[in-house]
Amino acid sequence: MYHNSLMKSKLLLLTAVCLLLMGCTTSRDASSNSDSSSSGSQSSSESSSGSSSSSSEGQEDTDYNRPIKSIQDTTILHAWNWKLNDIKSRLKQIDDAGYKSIQISPMQPKVDKTNYADQSTKSQWWKLYQPLDFKVAGNNENFLGTKDELTSLCTEAKKYNINIIVDIVSNHLSGSNGVYNSQVYTQYPLHTYNGNTDDNSAQATVQGRVGGLPDVDTSTTQVQTAVSNMLKEYIDCGIKGFRFDTAKHIETPDDGTYASNFWPTVLGACTSYAQSSKGYTPYYYGEILYQCGQGRKFSSYTPYMSITDNVSGQRVITAIDNETTNNLMSNYPTGVDPTKLVLWAESHDTYANDEKETTDISQENVNKAFVIQNTRKDAASLYLARPDSWTSQICSISEAGWLDKEVVASNYFHRLYNEKAENRSINNSCYINLRGAGNYAGAVIVDTDTRNSVNLNISGLANQKYTDIVTGTEYTINGSTNIALTNGCALLVPSFLATDIPIPEESESYTSSVVLLGTNSTKKYFAYHWMDGQNGSFMAFSKDKDGLGVKLNNNENYIIIEGTSDANASNIYWSNQYFIRQTNDLKYYSTQQIINYSDIVWKTS
């Protein structure tokens, strides 16, 4: 059952979901399922089932601990603008929260390179989408980190069976207002079309300039080879998946006069290289917002990749924010099988672009919309880790939202029921999605109102005990039941399946790349804190817990030192000849031990 001890919960988690946490090594074939729907009235319902969720000869399908087959099976944490080492330091926390894939921002060489701490770069995340070349950034070429740090992140993520997805910019390079960086644009041929992108024209869609940036000619062997080589370089770093920015602005073989073999050539070369050198098939998905452009089809992309369905997310989050059930039962507007869809409640575009569609929507409403999207059958889902503000400094991180308990619970629900049949309905102003069948069925409940509880008769749940994995509250379902709601959500799972899922709020929230593990009451820890170019001071901590973290800011540095329980700052000695300026200059004296973890390096001489 549920426990108050963090350590016990973590041990239970490792035992209970070891099969669920297996990383993906193959791509999943699309099933023949399609989503049916009816209107969003107060009593509407629809169901969807497939071979993976139907039973044989009346036998219940009990395959709920199946291994993850592909990134398409997972919830993706969009670590938007996070530095690579900050992601690396949070991998266990991310894993405990149920995310098995992490999407990082573009890692190509960038304009302005490493001045992310400059106040003038606030809200200028778009600079990450104006690369200088088709390659992985080296030292001092990107806000987020280096190629070596990317390799280190991928290596560490593999220990948690977490997949790293990188955002790829392959449609354009850097430039502005018609003044192009000649060093960049003399390297690659450009499309000769002079207009900007426009969905009313197929040519403008695939050859027009995104944001006025010159459009590279993706039909040429030179560009295709450069992008292919970049993807192979990422594969060598350990990347398992790729998200293609502005994918709809790159032509497909179906585009007639404007067609090219960019996608089959580039992705084919990448897949062949990954399979032969690493033994796995990469995951691909493309950003296609709203529509494909005049006369073009979403289905032209799905032979090669999954695609985004932002209209679905827009409908859901609008309904939740307006406290209505309108459109909550709509079809997927792309018409694409959900095994080829990536869903979200919001993305970095809706949160921080000029229109700011979701910027002012509360985190609670974003989470409610995400729970709906994250618990749909067969689709992958992406959670945007919002910063504290859309004007926050590039590389800033907020611990809110992506760790909220209803979001974490939906990640585990997603894992349990991803391939199971779904039966959606609207009842008493609540969205309900019944997943699975018989004694194994579970239910997602999202209230479009602001109530703390709701009385529901959830048709299809067996008369047995169910646990709300948001809170750990147990219910005996037998006809009409009053369900408590946490931030408008409840996720009911048969108690025998939910037994070892930890209560989300028991997760320890580390805010540093320096973390102490295995502490106990016989030891005391000191954080040595200094500002750049200045002497430091000690802060003492005594904690009988399994973890201690301290915050690392742009201009602040902390080192953790372990002492005995009776230690104090006055008996922590430092040789005067050693002034600590950065972590790799750190030395230690006598028996005072420096805890070596993550990026902390210590020397004995």
Side-chain angles (χ1 to χ4, degrees):
M1 201 36 79
Y2 287 71
H3 302 275
N4 291 324
S5 166
L6 172 61
M7 180 60 73
K8 288 182 180 179
S9 291
K10 290 179 177 177
L11 290 173
L12 287 170
L13 171 63
L14 291 174
T15 302
V17 298
C18 59
L19 290 176
L20 296 176
L21 302 183
M22 292 178 62
C24 66
T25 57
T26 59
S27 291
R28 184 174 68 184
D29 294 333
S31 74
S32 58
N33 275 336
S34 61
D35 181 36
S36 59
S37 73
S38 57
S39 67
S41 67
Q42 287 293 306
S43 60
S44 61
S45 67
E46 60 87 40
S47 63
S48 173
S49 62
S51 59
S52 62
S53 56
S54 59
S55 57
S56 173
E57 297 180 357
Q59 298 297 311
E60 287 182 344
D61 175 10
T62 60
D63 178 26
Y64 286 78
N65 280 350
R66 55 177 177 68
I68 294 171
K69 299 177 184 177
S70 165
I71 290 174
Q72 184 67 29
D73 278 345
T74 67
T75 305
I76 304 166
L77 175 66
H78 188 182
W80 186 50
N81 300 339
W82 292 16
K83 294 177 70 175
L84 301 180
N85 286 338
D86 285 339
I87 299 172
K88 181 180 174 182
S89 72
R90 289 166 170 78
L91 282 172
K92 188 178 189 306
Q93 186 183 22
I94 292 168
D95 182 50
D96 285 346
Y99 302 97
K100 298 310 297 179
S101 300
I102 301 171
Q103 180 177 308
I104 64 175
S105 296
M107 270 300 298
Q108 294 159 246
K110 298 296 185 296
V111 173
D112 292 341
K113 300 179 181 178
T114 58
N115 69 339
Y116 65 87
D118 188 328
Q119 291 297 303
S120 68
T121 65
K122 280 190 174 183
S123 72
Q124 293 184 358
W125 57 271
W126 45 266
K127 289 184 176 180
L128 293 168
Y129 290 86
Q130 294 191 12
L132 298 175
D133 204 352
F134 299 125
K135 70 171 190 175
V136 183
N139 294 336
N140 299 318
E141 289 187 327
N142 189 285
F143 298 151
L144 309 179
T146 67
K147 183 177 179 179
D148 288 343
E149 289 170 345
L150 178 61
T151 301
S152 178
L153 169 62
C154 292
T155 299
E156 190 68 17
K158 187 175 181 180
K159 298 176 184 178
Y160 295 91
N161 293 310
I162 290 177
N163 309 283
I164 303 298
I165 302 169
V166 65
D167 206 344
I168 298 294
V169 182
S170 50
N171 175 69
H172 55 267
L173 293 174
S174 178
S176 62
N177 300 324
V179 180
Y180 313 139
N181 186 326
S182 60
Q183 183 181 358
V184 170
Y185 282 99
T186 54
Q187 297 180 65
Y188 302 104
L190 305 179
H191 280 129
T192 58
Y193 182 81
N194 291 321
N196 290 330
T197 56
D198 187 338
D199 286 340
N200 293 317
S201 160
Q203 183 180 18
T205 299
V206 300
Q207 295 186 2
R209 296 172 180 172
V210 175
L213 300 173
D215 202 64
V216 295
D217 190 345
T218 42
S219 71
T220 62
T221 299
Q222 184 179 351
V223 172
Q224 292 178 11
T225 299
V227 176
S228 296
N229 288 340
M230 176 176 63
L231 299 189
K232 293 174 184 178
E233 193 179 1
Y234 275 121
I235 293 294
D236 287 339
C237 292
I239 289 295
K240 295 297 180 67
F242 300 93
R243 181 259 191 193
F244 288 92
D245 182 63
T246 60
K248 84 171 183 181
H249 298 301
I250 298 178
E251 67 282 351
T252 74
D254 296 340
D255 278 312
T257 304
Y258 314 111
S260 87
N261 62 350
F262 176 88
W263 294 114
T265 298
V266 171
L267 302 193
C270 180
T271 297
S272 178
Y273 181 77
Q275 289 176 339
S276 62
S277 64
K278 307 296 181 182
Y280 68 90
T281 299
Y283 176 80
Y284 309 108
Y285 87 94
E287 178 198 35
I288 301 179
L289 300 180
Y290 299 103
Q291 57 176 295
C292 282
Q294 182 67 38
R296 306 182 73 239
K297 298 178 180 179
F298 294 102
S299 58
S300 294
Y301 288 87
T302 52
Y304 314 109
M305 66 184 78
S306 294
I307 62 172
T308 59
D309 183 352
N310 72 297
V311 176
S312 172
Q314 183 185 49
R315 289 173 176 175
V316 172
I317 200 166
T318 299
I320 293 299
D321 201 48
N322 291 333
E323 298 185 5
T324 178
T325 60
N326 292 343
N327 291 320
L328 288 183
M329 298 291 293
S330 297
N331 286 18
Y332 290 122
T334 60
V336 169
D337 190 279
T339 58
K340 287 290 188 176
L341 291 180
V342 176
L343 307 178
W344 63 52
E346 68 174 348
S347 72
H348 70 276
D349 282 309
T350 67
Y351 176 71
N353 64 359
D354 290 340
E355 291 76 20
K356 297 180 176 58
E357 294 99 323
T358 62
T359 309
D360 295 326
I361 295 180
S362 69
Q363 188 73 69
E364 180 177 321
N365 281 348
V366 170
N367 289 354
K368 288 166 72 171
F370 178 76
V371 168
I372 291 175
Q373 295 288 77
N374 194 29
T375 53
R376 294 299 309 274
K377 183 179 184 296
D378 290 326
S381 52
L382 178 139
Y383 189 90
L384 174 70
R386 282 180 166 188
D388 290 326
S389 167
W390 72 271
T391 60
S392 292
Q393 199 67 46
I394 290 177
C395 302
S396 65
I397 298 174
S398 172
E399 307 295 351
W402 63 279
L403 286 173
D404 287 353
K405 50 192 175 182
E406 65 270 26
V407 173
V408 172
S410 75
N411 292 342
Y412 284 96
F413 194 99
H414 177 114
R415 188 110 35 90
L416 285 170
Y417 289 99
N418 187 49
E419 294 182 339
K420 304 305 176 186
E422 64 176 9
N423 189 345
R424 301 186 300 150
S425 61
I426 301 295
N427 183 262
N428 195 11
S429 295
C430 286
Y431 167 94
I432 301 172
N433 193 352
L434 185 72
R435 301 296 307 275
N439 291 330
Y440 288 81
V444 178
I445 302 167
V446 177
D447 187 16
T448 60
D449 208 334
T450 56
R451 294 168 289 187
N452 294 321
S453 65
V454 63
N455 193 276
L456 295 171
N457 188 340
I458 309 172
S459 177
L461 289 186
N463 293 337
Q464 60 182 9
K465 290 185 177 180
Y466 289 83
T467 298
D468 176 9
I469 59 174
V470 179
T471 61
T473 304
E474 190 170 65
Y475 297 92
T476 299
I477 301 296
N478 187 2
S480 184
T481 306
N482 193 63
I483 306 294
L485 301 170
T486 300
N487 296 330
C489 302
L491 290 96
L492 303 182
V493 170
S495 291
F496 62 84
L497 283 178
T499 299
D500 294 326
I501 296 176
I503 299 174
E505 65 255 32
E506 292 186 356
S507 298
E508 188 78 9
S509 178
Y510 300 124
T511 59
S512 170
S513 59
V514 184
V515 180
L516 302 179
L517 302 179
T519 74
N520 59 59
S521 59
T522 65
K523 299 177 181 179
K524 183 177 285 187
Y525 296 91
F526 296 88
Y528 185 80
H529 168 224
W530 75 99
M531 300 295 292
D532 286 350
Q534 302 177 29
N535 290 320
S537 60
F538 284 101
M539 297 177 293
F541 299 87
S542 296
K543 291 202 174 183
D544 184 14
K545 300 188 70 173
D546 78 323
L548 171 64
V550 292
K551 187 174 183 179
L552 294 178
N553 293 323
N554 289 333
N555 298 312
E556 295 181 339
N557 305 276
Y558 292 87
I559 292 299
I560 303 294
I561 301 143
E562 177 183 311
T564 61
S565 60
D566 59 351
N568 56 67
S570 64
N571 63 24
I572 303 292
Y573 297 100
W574 297 93
S575 172
N576 291 332
Q577 64 184 348
Y578 299 135
F579 179 75
I580 303 172
R581 291 183 176 85
Q582 54 186 12
T583 55
N584 60 4
D585 285 338
L586 186 66
K587 316 224 178 207
Y588 75 99
Y589 177 81
S590 186
T591 60
Q592 302 304 330
Q593 180 184 1
I594 303 302
I595 302 300
N596 180 257
Y597 190 82
S598 188
D599 299 316
I600 302 304
V601 178
W602 55 275
K603 301 176 182 179
T604 59
S605 62

